[in-house]
Amino acid sequence: MTEAVFPEWRDKPLDEVLYECRELLEDTSFPTVRRWREAGGKVVGHFQVYFPEEIAHAAGMLPFKVRGAPVEATEADSRFGSYLCSILKTSLELALSNRVTLDMFVTHPICDAARNLAAVWGRNFEYPCQILYLPQNANSQHAATYLRGEYDRVRRGIEAIAGCAVTDEALRRSIGVFNENRALLRTLYRIKRETPWLVSAEDAYVLLALGGIIPREEHNELLRFTLPLIEQRTAKRQDRVRVVLEGAFCEQPPLDLIRAIGRSCYIVDDDLLIGLRWILDDVPPAGDPLKSLAEAYLECSTHSPVQHDLRKPKHEMLLARLANANADAAVVMAAKMCEPGLEEQVAYTQALDQESIPYFVSEFEENMTSFDHLEIQLETFIENLLFD
Amino acid sequence: MTGTEQTIIGRGNKDGARLFREWFDELNAAAEANRPAAYVFVMGSFAELLRAFDFPLVFPEINSLQTAVRRVAHEYLNEAEDYGYSPDICGYVKADVAVQLRGGKHPMGRIPKPAIAVYTNACNTYIKWAEIWERMYKIPTFVLDIPGTRLAGGQTWPGDTDFENDRRYVIGQLKELIALCEEVSGARFDIDRLRENMEHANAMSVAWKQLLDLNQARPSVFNALSDGTIFLGVANGFRGLREGAAYFEDLVEEMQFKAQRGIGTLTEERYRLIFVGVPCYPIFRRFNELFTESGGTFVNSTYLWFASGGSNVGFEYDLAHPIESLAEGVLIGVRDAMDSMFFQTKILIDMIDDYHADGVVYHPIKSCRTVSTGLADSRRDLMRRRDTATLFIESDMMDRRVVSEAQLKNRVDAFFEGLATRRRQAALGSARLST
């Protein structure tokens, strides 16, 4: 694919680039996916959170992060029961309403609802819809070998759709592209941590999120252009509370909510779209690429409520995230009806209580449109901290 | 009723209730003696293996549902919600949190504290649930990861590349679990004790499958919802034990006796139904009556499949190769349990045919996304493929706040009116054809 699917930002000053990025992210017709397909490309839709996108990339396909959208689940509603998170419904809605067209769909056993998606999706579409069984026993000595085999199964499935072999060499090239992407995103998060006044919460989020809907080469180009300009900004530091936002690993809060939180405080770290940056370091480009990717999932990945690893108790990881970001407080959120997120809230708040770290607890939904009440509560929380 | 009939008919329910009480009495004694237990779940308990280390087995799901059946679940749910848990998470988890906060006290006595928790990934909430015990008790927990079916109709079998990849992973984990059990229990692993337990499990699995098959009789010989729940309790609590195997052999004898003589349940069977989902335990008896009062009997359910950990496939372990065979058995059995929750369309179509079912009742519940998420879509799919009456009703297995008996009754009554209309139309159609 040589044509850029997101050319609108080019040759523009930083503020206009960020404006174009926001416009694209909020466009629920997903024009970049449409353009990719119009140019003859194929698309693998992968539901949150963990997916080895390198495999799809190496096949020349677009890995599209399926993460719902703020749309009405007009058609999808009748496929689900009442007590369910929004992201499941709106994700299916995107496909049923032809906002996005896929050639393959992959979900994961990150939660009981998400695992059901392969069956639901498969009953509604002709293309392969499957579960990638990531190892839930990350502490087994046999997990890496198993996962390498499971990734190989996914590779074979993708090859059948792409109509070409996914060679180790192609995988190594893709790992290189994604390593650069991970490094750029680490820079973005360093800016958030060290100089949060240089980039607003919503702009940082938008720059991150576009990685899920455009080719990684384009995303790298965008980040290579914007990050130095952001660092050159001369914005003044304000006396704001530094917070870590936790609880957005799957369903995403609406951009307006991120903006609202960012108005009250500096979000110096978060788990927003953690699935776009779950591998914490470079994946070795040499050797067996599938083995390297499998080991990266097990040995070099961040935490989330949907990855069980005895070495990574989530509440301790949150405390570490707060400490690393030199944060004053935590905003502990959970998507409505999100079982793992809501369960983890208890562990998080107990750990925060124990460490006497202030926190703000709330629920959200991707479709929510009114934030006044939440914003007032958050402002009160922040004021209490500032004047304590 | 003859003397033989009096001895045999109803024996399964009576013996089941007795065994259940005895099991809880033993757990109570273990708690009083401060004897630590293994906490396990119904979809892959590994009872065969854990009993080889003499762990008392605690099934928190069963303890939790007992609070609902005994109509005190709301007290436990409130306590867990006061502790911080959301109203929107699994009610079983919350009831167990409250049981733990009460030092193990629950309506049937007291349960011992855990020394270890062993669970599969058949339900992700198992994993989150065990993390609570990790934090509460600092105990080792072990998720024995069983990869399931990847896509509809895509099951793999011994010899297939992907099945063998899964099998190696499960065998490796079983060996790690054995080492952990040795460490926690202080006992050496005795493979002959495992073999003995597996032999009892084999007998139970064979009988469980026979039992389910026997309900194809007309009239059906047991109610899959009410009687079936008793059977499930014994199937889980006594798996790997001689008493468990004997119970199911007796039960098969009872049901064969009934089937041969055309003896059904207490319901005068007019409509044969299949139940999909989890029962409504807060009004368990009444919920069943909503159907039996109109002549509906449940002849099978996906619950009898997944809550028995996939015993319905009747897998028999190869006792010459216990570890390898245990791995294969749980891969096939637990996978089948998962299939009956995620990929159930073909399973239901086969059930409709084999059990001559008139209708399918879908009962998704607020508490359980594993079972409930795909049911509305599954129903659409079934209705596309088969002209079978279906009913879709929502409530909960624990939380009476989301159970509305009046609304349920309205829907159930309308469903039976539809069934009656179908039957009249079918009769009219047959009459026209014959003239």
Side-chain angles (χ1 to χ4, degrees), chain A residues 8-70:
Chain A
E8 287 85 352
W9 65 274
R10 290 169 195 278
D11 305 319
K12 288 185 177 161
L14 179 62
D15 285 347
E16 285 182 39
V17 171
L18 293 171
Y19 169 79
E20 293 294 347
C21 291
R22 284 194 296 271
E23 287 293 291
L24 174 61
L25 190 69
E26 292 197 294
D27 187 341
T28 55
S29 71
F30 293 90
T32 55
V33 181
R34 196 179 57 243
R35 288 171 195 160
W36 175 269
R37 292 190 66 84
E38 284 168 358
K42 292 186 174 172
V43 182
V44 178
H46 57 95
F47 191 72
Q48 300 268 40
V49 172
Y50 304 97
F51 181 71
E53 293 173 285
E54 287 88 340
I55 301 176
H57 182 271
M61 297 176 77
L62 177 69
F64 168 69
K65 182 161 274 298
V66 178
R67 52 163 180 81

Side-chain angles (χ1 to χ4, degrees), chain A residues 181-192:
Chain A
N181 191 251
R182 286 185 271 269
L184 288 162
L185 290 177
R186 286 198 295 272
T187 302
L188 173 64
Y189 270 75
R190 179 180 54 72
I191 296 169
K192 275 171 64 110

Side-chain angles (χ1 to χ4, degrees), chain A residues 162-192:
Chain A
C164 66
V166 177
T167 63
D168 283 359
E169 199 44 50
L171 275 169
R172 288 188 198 104
R173 276 196 301 274
S174 296
I175 285 172
V177 172
F178 280 77
N179 276 346
E180 185 188 1
N181 191 251
R182 286 185 271 269
L184 288 162
L185 290 177
R186 286 198 295 272
T187 302
L188 173 64
Y189 270 75
R190 179 180 54 72
I191 296 169
K192 275 171 64 110

